[in-house]
Amino acid sequence: MASHRRPKQPSRARVTVLTTAAAAAVVLSANAANAAPSEKLTKDEVKAKVDKLYQEAEQATEKLDGAKDKQQKLQKEISTIQDNVARGQEELNKLRDSLGSLATAQYRSGGIDPSVQLFLSSNPDDYLDKASTLDQLSSQQVEALKKIQDKQRELAQERAEASDKLKDLSATRTELAKQKSAVQGKLADAQKLLNTLTAKEKAALDAEQAQAASRASSRVNLGNTGSASGRAASAFAAAQSVIGSPYVYGASGPSSFDCSGLTSWAYAQAGVTIPRTSEAQANAGTRIYSESDLKVGDLVIFYGDYHHVGLYAGNGQVLHAPHTGAVVRYESISDMTFEFGVRI
């Protein structure tokens, strides 16, 4: 005979959870039904946001370039110091050998002076500081001990300097990684925005940029570009020779460039060494605060933090490496925030 049991009733806690979940589902469903779909940005809005991201990426790029330049200089300085320490140690060893020879000769002639004997197994500083010790040494031995003392102090200073620079190098490498990550993050965000555009919108955006570059080029050709002279003219000619080369952050030629990479490379072709970053280039010569006083080949510094630089091309135009996705080209100075020019 089958037994008839009452169905197990859900616990009060279970009922409460289910009721709450159901209520939440209803609310979410209602919100989803009432929520308006996210609005798609227009082509111009995307361009504005992308331009801002490119500026932020370039700010990080210049810091990246600065860290990279500092790293290279520190590595050279550390290498030089380490070479000096190695040579100094050899000199110190020779000085000690020389004193040892004096001690050997003294021993053969009647025994080692107690002070020299003590020195050979310890630090000479302890004895040179005592006048009584000097009385027990020959003038030749005193001179040898002083040379050793000076060399030991010199080596200690150089080793301390190398240690400090190695710490600085480690911090610089950390900064390098940080800025590289910042650049890559900004560029990735910009690409995501560009990917929201349709093929037609992308084509229209590219056409607008090409037309702007063409207009700028025409203005340069119509303007007076003959005011450049000497090395500034040579630097400008070098930059003209790479028009169309792609912008690549951290690059300084000869086939790709970032903004300060282009200007430093161009002047290098003219036999002039200028700093690597736009911020440092802002202090590399005489500042020209009026656009009307600029001459072809002058550096042109943009934005309050000096994070962008180009070469004056004449007639209100600049030749520069703009940003990722663009190429070395002419552009109107008025398209950016002009700070001042720099005459090298």
Side-chain angles (χ1 to χ4, degrees):
M1 181 175 173
S3 61
H4 297 279
R5 297 179 179 177
R6 295 178 60 187
K8 186 176 181 181
Q9 297 298 315
S11 67
R12 180 175 297 177
R14 178 175 171 78
V15 170
T16 301
V17 170
L18 290 172
T19 303
T20 303
V26 170
V27 171
L28 289 173
S29 177
N31 287 343
N34 294 328
S38 58
E39 294 182 5
K40 184 180 183 300
L41 296 176
T42 67
K43 172 175 64 68
D44 291 339
E45 288 172 334
V46 168
K47 182 181 183 303
K49 287 180 176 292
V50 167
D51 286 346
K52 184 173 184 298
L53 285 167
Y54 280 153
Q55 269 202 46
E56 292 171 353
E58 193 170 39
Q59 288 173 307
T61 294
E62 287 302 298
K63 291 178 182 177
L64 173 72
D65 290 340
K68 191 183 296 183
D69 192 45
K70 184 178 180 180
Q71 175 183 249
Q72 292 171 347
K73 288 178 181 177
L74 282 170
Q75 287 172 328
K76 288 180 182 178
E77 290 171 0
I78 289 168
S79 178
T80 298
I81 293 172
Q82 289 174 335
D83 288 344
N84 290 341
V85 168
R87 284 194 296 270
Q89 189 62 52
E90 288 179 5
E91 292 176 20
L92 181 59
N93 292 340
K94 288 178 182 178
L95 288 170
R96 283 174 171 163
D97 289 343
S98 175
L99 187 61
S101 297
L102 285 174
T104 300
Q106 190 178 49
Y107 174 75
R108 287 173 180 168
S109 64
I112 300 178
D113 188 297
S115 299
V116 177
Q117 190 173 25
L118 282 169
F119 163 73
L120 291 176
S121 61
S122 186
N123 191 315
D125 291 357
D126 295 338
Y127 308 108
L128 283 175
D129 292 338
K130 298 177 182 177
S132 59
T133 300
L134 296 179
D135 293 338
Q136 301 173 38
L137 300 174
S138 70
S139 61
Q140 192 174 8
Q141 289 168 338
V142 168
E143 185 63 28
L145 282 170
K146 283 183 176 178
K147 286 181 179 178
I148 289 173
Q149 182 186 46
D150 291 342
K151 181 56 64 176
Q152 285 178 321
R153 287 173 177 167
E154 181 183 325
L155 286 175
Q157 289 174 350
E158 289 182 331
R159 287 190 175 109
E161 185 180 358
S163 177
D164 289 342
K165 288 188 181 295
L166 284 167
K167 291 176 183 176
D168 197 0
L169 179 59
S170 177
T172 300
R173 284 174 173 160
T174 300
E175 178 67 15
L176 198 61
K178 175 184 173 184
Q179 296 304 332
K180 185 175 182 179
S181 177
V183 173
Q184 291 173 333
K186 298 294 182 184
L187 295 181
D189 290 343
Q191 190 57 54
K192 286 178 184 176
L193 279 169
L194 289 172
N195 289 342
T196 65
L197 297 176
T198 65
K200 185 177 180 180
E201 287 172 328
K202 286 180 182 178
L205 196 58
D206 291 341
E208 288 173 8
Q209 292 176 341
Q211 288 171 3
S214 178
R215 286 193 298 271
S217 179
S218 298
R219 292 192 187 102
V220 170
N221 293 331
L222 290 171
N224 176 22
T225 60
S227 58
S229 61
R231 292 182 175 179
S234 298
F236 183 70
Q240 283 182 307
S241 73
V242 293
I243 288 175
S245 298
Y247 178 104
V248 175
Y249 74 86
S252 55
S255 56
S256 58
F257 306 86
D258 61 21
C259 71
S260 57
L262 173 65
T263 50
S264 59
W265 176 86
Y267 266 95
Q269 307 318 297
V272 180
T273 299
I274 62 174
R276 175 61 178 86
T277 66
S278 58
E279 184 177 358
Q281 289 176 15
N283 298 309
T286 304
R287 291 189 177 184
I288 312 296
Y289 289 97
S290 172
E291 287 185 43
S292 61
D293 292 333
L294 291 173
K295 293 183 179 180
V296 173
D298 285 343
L299 299 179
V300 187
I301 306 297
F302 296 96
Y303 306 107
D305 59 357
Y306 312 158
H307 74 260
H308 190 69
V309 63
L311 291 165
Y312 187 62
N315 205 25
Q317 308 302 303
V318 65
L319 179 56
H320 68 151
H323 53 71
T324 296
V327 297
V328 175
R329 68 191 186 198
Y330 295 110
E331 195 165 346
S332 173
I333 286 181
S334 62
D335 289 348
M336 296 166 282
T337 306
F338 171 78
E339 289 296 320
F340 49 80
V342 176
R343 187 156 298 150
I344 302 299

